[in-house]
Amino acid sequence: LGAAHIAWGSEENRALIGLSGGVDCLIHAMERHRTSVTVLEQSATALCNIVLGDENNQIVFDRCRGLEVLIHAMKLFQDDAVIQEHAIALINNRVLRGGPNLALFCSAGGVEALIESVTSCTWHDGVLENGSLALRYLLTSEENRIRVYRSGGIEKLVDALYAVSRRITRVNSM
């Protein structure tokens, strides 16, 4: 968590953490402690602060299989909004801007993990908004639309919309 705070808002600190092996270290920590929600939350938060906005750190993140590790964390802790929100931010940055990461993301079950994230965290605005934007982009591909359909994603997303609608109705009636 210290790396997340040090990197926040400082390009110089982001670069220094990357040059010191921070990205690699965080990804390895997530791999070694795959079932520790604390390690996964803090590492995902730190990776967001270190990787987003630093091209060299993005290269290291990709080289160290950061997406695969994040997808695993998303699948394991579907209702943890901290993990989901930060993983989605990294997905939006590393996958949705084109390049080779899209194929890796899809083959590692990323589309399905993203659907579960959005449908499991209907109470969290950041997950809903950014996850929905990611799905919108992904669904421009016929292959991904088929993937969503086969995984039952349409029904899950409709259920999520109903849950959000009920939540908004409750808030507005107070």
Side-chain angles (χ1 to χ4, degrees):
L1 193 55
H5 293 298
I6 292 169
W8 179 255
S10 171
E11 291 179 30
E12 183 179 346
N13 287 348
R14 261 187 231 124
L16 288 171
I17 291 169
L19 289 171
S20 301
V23 174
D24 193 26
C25 181
L26 287 165
I27 292 170
H28 286 300
M30 291 178 79
E31 288 178 315
R32 285 193 180 153
H33 304 281
R34 289 177 176 248
T35 59
S36 170
V37 70
T38 303
V39 170
L40 296 176
E41 282 180 349
Q42 291 182 7
S43 296
T45 302
L47 282 169
C48 263
N49 292 346
I50 296 166
V51 171
L52 300 180
D54 188 288
E55 193 172 315
N56 290 327
N57 290 340
Q58 291 169 5
I59 292 167
V60 174
F61 177 83
D62 293 346
R63 182 178 43 86
C64 292
R65 299 178 15 260
L67 278 175
E68 294 171 81
V69 173
L70 281 174
I71 291 167
H72 175 79
M74 289 175 77
K75 289 176 179 178
L76 194 58
F77 295 101
Q78 294 173 350
D79 60 347
D80 188 296
V82 174
I83 292 171
Q84 301 302 324
E85 182 176 26
H86 290 92
I88 291 170
L90 285 160
I91 288 164
N92 281 330
N93 179 269
R94 302 310 310 136
V95 175
L96 304 184
R97 297 182 183 200
N101 288 329
L102 180 57
L104 171 66
F105 176 75
C106 292
S107 68
V111 174
E112 295 83 359
L114 192 54
I115 290 167
E116 292 300 328
S117 175
V118 170
T119 58
S120 296
C121 294
T122 57
W123 48 271
H124 192 279
D125 293 339
V127 172
L128 283 173
E129 183 178 347
N130 293 318
S132 296
L133 288 172
L135 283 169
R136 180 178 169 206
Y137 172 82
L138 289 167
L139 293 175
T140 60
S141 153
E142 179 69 22
E143 183 179 340
N144 288 335
R145 286 194 296 270
I146 292 169
R147 190 177 266 118
V148 169
Y149 173 76
R150 287 187 180 154
S151 69
I154 294 170
E155 294 85 359
K156 292 175 184 176
L157 291 170
V158 168
D159 288 345
L161 287 172
Y162 280 124
V164 171
S165 176
R166 286 190 300 272
R167 180 178 64 126
I168 291 170
T169 302
R170 273 195 307 269
V171 169
N172 288 338
S173 66
M174 292 180 162

